[in-house]
Amino acid sequence: PTVVPVGLGPPTDAQCDTKAAISYVYKDASTGQFETYDPSNPPASSSIATTTTDQGHTVPYIVRQEFGVQDRGIYAIAVLNQPGAWNHKLVTYFGASTAPDHEQSQPSAVLDDFALGRGFMTANSSMNVNGENTNQVVSSEALMMLKEHIIDTYGRIRYTIGEGCSGGSYQYMVAAMYP
């Protein structure tokens, strides 16, 4: 049986690429938690928190999430849904651990309140998680492909911040190998 992760459809090519799956969440004004957001049946606007980005834009705290597969790596992207709210800065997460595996697994979580609330886009590919894929060349390629997709879909990136602990800290080699 084929396992279909994070609501993705079947592969469309030999690299297991899929069409993107889009979903939304909002930050609940009373609980501070992310909740599912249905654009065709939104909650009362008073239920949706607002956030002020580092560019001074105050917007409803609604996040667009995109999941897909590129070159066998499952990716996740999250960004504020309001046009103009993204500050064109990217935070990408390099998951913990390290292992000799090379598998299609889940990407690191991208619903980072600290980054998203300031207008940053957050993104990750499962090929950037050393605990699932300890191969710096493949990880570098996955990051470059993800950034290319972001540029093509969302616009230019001013700069990228990488974050990781333990095995994720090894990802500094990506910047050293491909400055």
Side-chain angles (χ1 to χ4, degrees):
T2 302
V3 176
V4 181
V6 291
L8 298 173
T12 59
D13 59 27
Q15 294 302 315
C16 297
D17 293 351
T18 65
K19 293 182 179 180
I22 307 299
S23 63
Y24 299 88
V25 296
Y26 72 98
K27 187 172 182 180
D28 187 285
S30 61
T31 67
Q33 301 298 310
F34 285 113
E35 303 290 343
T36 301
Y37 179 84
D38 180 357
S40 63
N41 187 23
S45 59
S46 61
S47 298
I48 302 171
T50 60
T51 189
T52 302
T53 69
D54 67 355
Q55 306 291 305
H57 302 289
T58 300
V59 299
Y61 205 146
I62 301 169
V63 177
R64 179 185 196 270
Q65 299 180 107
E66 177 182 337
F67 299 95
V69 177
Q70 288 182 311
D71 199 21
R72 301 188 189 278
I74 301 170
Y75 70 84
I77 298 171
V79 65
L80 289 171
N81 190 49
Q82 183 75 25
W86 179 36
N87 59 19
H88 294 272
K89 301 171 187 174
L90 173 65
V91 177
T92 187
Y93 304 96
F94 299 108
S97 189
T98 188
D101 304 326
H102 182 73
E103 60 188 21
Q104 186 181 56
S105 192
Q106 298 296 320
S108 297
V110 293
L111 281 180
D112 180 340
D113 184 35
F114 185 79
L116 290 167
R118 285 159 181 76
F120 285 73
M121 175 182 282
T122 57
N124 175 261
S125 169
S126 61
M127 293 297 164
N128 295 129
V129 180
N130 267 351
E132 299 165 7
N133 171 58
T134 304
N135 182 320
Q136 300 310 315
V137 174
V138 171
S139 181
S140 298
E141 179 181 77
L143 180 59
M144 287 187 278
M145 290 175 68
L146 181 60
K147 288 177 72 171
E148 181 179 358
H149 171 71
I150 289 167
I151 292 166
D152 291 346
T153 306
Y154 299 91
R156 66 177 177 79
I157 300 170
R158 289 178 55 201
Y159 61 79
T160 302
I161 299 170
E163 180 180 304
C165 66
S166 186
S169 66
Y170 286 114
Q171 296 292 359
Y172 72 87
M173 287 189 259
V174 170
M177 291 168 44
Y178 303 98

